[in-house]
Amino acid sequence: MKTIPCNPKASDEVRSVLNYFSKIEGKGIITGQHTQTMAQEELDYIHQVTGKWPALCGFELLGYSPNINYEDSGEECLLEVAENQDTLQKAWEWTQKSKGLLTFTWHWFSPLNGRDKSFYTEHTDFNVSKAIIEGTKEYKALLSDMDHMAEILREFCDKRIPILWRPFHEADGTWFWWGSQGPKIAKQLYRIMYQRYTNYHNLTNLIWVWNSPLVQGYVGDDVVDIISRDMYPPAHQHTDLSKEYEELVAITRTSKLAAIGEIGPIPCVESLSTSRIPWLWFMTWSQDFGKTEKFTTKEELQRAYHCDYAITLDKLPKLY
């Protein structure tokens, strides 16, 4: 069964990816890894341990936020931003050389009144409830940042590269400014971006991924292609996450593809091959989650990537 994109103007490449996802649902899980530096040590670690590469690679856009307050930021923040610089080059290499699947995470530095890591609520005085009201300075700042990022995404659109776009991630929590005043406002922010990117900027290469398991926080089927959630189980706990899957798909009565947007210890791929819980992909988070044994042992990683149920880069067909 084909999956129809929520954007009627979606590119052929988006449709190709979604059709592929529909075919593999419950028949395999796409391996994924987040990165946020030029070094991409997480990918090298996976390849060193397993001899394989993930089929889906995540890249971080925090350093491309237009309103980073360099004067009022600590050393940790400045280092994180510096290490993230120029990582779009790696995203281009991934798509041009590897032809792998691509996703972006945007830890969006506050459009106004931010300091230090201002994607965190505690580091900004940005009034997000005013940002959804047309004509306010907050709304204008919100759109200005969106437009800035749209130009970065446009380059991928022009090259017809599909992107799994997961904006306002973890909107069920209050730790990021976009979720700081509850799911109702977070939903409106997402809809503002969807309309802006779909109708104004005509970004036809985006596959829209919602990232929250809250029923009352769901933004709506009309602007979502894939539902997802982030999970951080205890270190070395590997299951098929069946309970978490049932909680996620309960947010809508429509049959939606479902994915793991972020995870600490990887799911048990062997268990998934038996239970067939139809997680579409898993994305291990970066840094120690993806390049050490603190959360997943080398043996577990090896078993996962060599399981017949795992879809690694070498098993991925040409989709764009």
Side-chain angles (χ1 to χ4, degrees):
M1 183 181 71
K2 291 186 176 181
T3 297
I4 300 173
C6 61
N7 178 8
K9 298 180 289 184
S11 68
D12 290 342
E13 291 76 18
V14 164
R15 296 173 190 276
S16 171
V17 171
L18 288 175
N19 288 340
Y20 171 69
F21 287 168
S22 295
K23 289 177 183 176
I24 65 167
E25 187 183 22
K27 299 175 182 176
I29 188 167
I30 295 167
T31 54
Q33 177 63 56
H34 285 287
T35 69
Q36 61 187 85
T37 66
M38 288 290 283
Q40 291 191 297
E41 292 175 332
E42 300 88 351
L43 296 187
D44 291 337
Y45 178 82
I46 291 170
H47 189 254
Q48 177 188 351
V49 172
T50 70
K52 293 178 175 286
W53 304 99
L56 169 59
C57 189
F59 297 84
E60 174 63 64
L61 294 171
L62 67 82
Y64 295 87
S65 298
N67 286 296
I68 300 170
N69 187 343
Y70 290 94
E71 291 72 29
D72 193 8
S73 292
E75 288 185 12
E76 183 179 308
C77 173
L78 294 175
L79 177 61
E80 193 167 357
V81 170
E83 289 184 337
N84 186 235
Q85 293 299 320
D86 301 322
T87 48
L88 282 174
Q89 293 179 25
K90 290 294 183 180
W92 282 112
E93 289 176 15
W94 177 255
T95 57
Q96 297 303 302
K97 295 179 181 179
S98 300
K99 291 295 182 181
L101 292 166
L102 170 70
T103 187
F104 285 129
T105 300
W106 186 13
H107 284 88
W108 181 350
F109 280 74
S110 174
L112 284 176
N113 307 325
R115 57 200 171 273
D116 203 57
K117 296 184 182 183
S118 63
F119 43 84
Y120 287 126
T121 302
E122 62 180 324
H123 292 151
T124 181
D125 301 320
F126 185 55
N127 190 337
V128 70
S129 64
K130 290 185 178 179
I132 60 174
I133 301 172
E134 290 189 37
T136 63
K137 65 179 181 180
E138 290 83 1
Y139 180 82
K140 292 176 182 176
L142 182 80
L143 259 59
S144 177
D145 276 20
M146 283 187 188
D147 292 347
H148 171 85
M149 191 55 66
E151 290 310 307
I152 290 174
L153 299 175
R154 174 161 304 288
E155 296 184 48
F156 291 87
C157 185
D158 290 344
K159 292 285 182 68
R160 305 189 71 84
I161 296 169
I163 296 172
L164 296 166
W165 182 237
R166 186 178 62 115
F168 306 108
H169 66 288
E170 298 176 8
D172 48 307
T174 58
W175 44 89
F176 297 132
W177 60 258
W178 49 88
S180 62
Q181 296 190 35
K184 184 177 180 181
I185 289 177
K187 287 192 292 186
Q188 289 174 275
L189 292 170
Y190 181 104
R191 283 188 167 272
I192 289 170
M193 176 180 277
Y194 178 84
Q195 294 300 329
R196 189 77 174 171
Y197 281 8
T198 301
N199 298 325
Y200 182 78
H201 288 288
N202 199 32
L203 294 173
T204 57
N205 65 321
L206 302 182
I207 297 171
W208 289 84
V209 183
W210 177 248
N211 188 234
S212 168
L214 292 183
V215 175
Q216 67 271 30
Y218 184 50
V219 69
D221 290 335
D222 59 317
V223 292
V224 171
D225 292 310
I226 297 167
I227 54 176
S228 71
R229 65 182 299 181
D230 296 355
M231 295 173 283
Y232 287 87
H236 307 294
Q237 177 177 298
H238 310 286
T239 70
D240 64 2
L241 300 162
S242 58
K243 175 177 175 290
E244 291 81 357
Y245 176 84
E246 293 302 329
E247 290 171 354
L248 177 60
V249 296
I251 68 175
T252 172
R253 295 180 180 178
T254 305
S255 179
K256 287 279 185 183
L257 297 167
I260 301 170
E262 295 175 22
I263 197 163
I266 65 172
C268 181
V269 178
E270 289 182 341
S271 294
L272 285 168
S273 70
T274 302
S275 67
R276 302 286 170 151
I277 302 298
W279 289 114
L280 188 57
W281 70 72
F282 71 87
M283 289 288 293
T284 313
W285 189 238
S286 54
Q287 303 298 338
D288 283 355
F289 293 102
K291 63 180 185 181
T292 73
E293 290 192 273
K294 289 183 180 180
F295 300 90
T296 300
T297 65
K298 289 181 179 179
E299 289 76 18
E300 184 69 28
L301 190 65
Q302 173 86 2
R303 278 196 297 272
Y305 270 71
H306 283 270
C307 181
D308 289 340
Y309 196 74
I311 299 170
T312 47
L313 185 62
D314 57 304
K315 294 182 181 179
L316 192 70
K318 184 178 180 181
L319 297 171
Y320 61 90

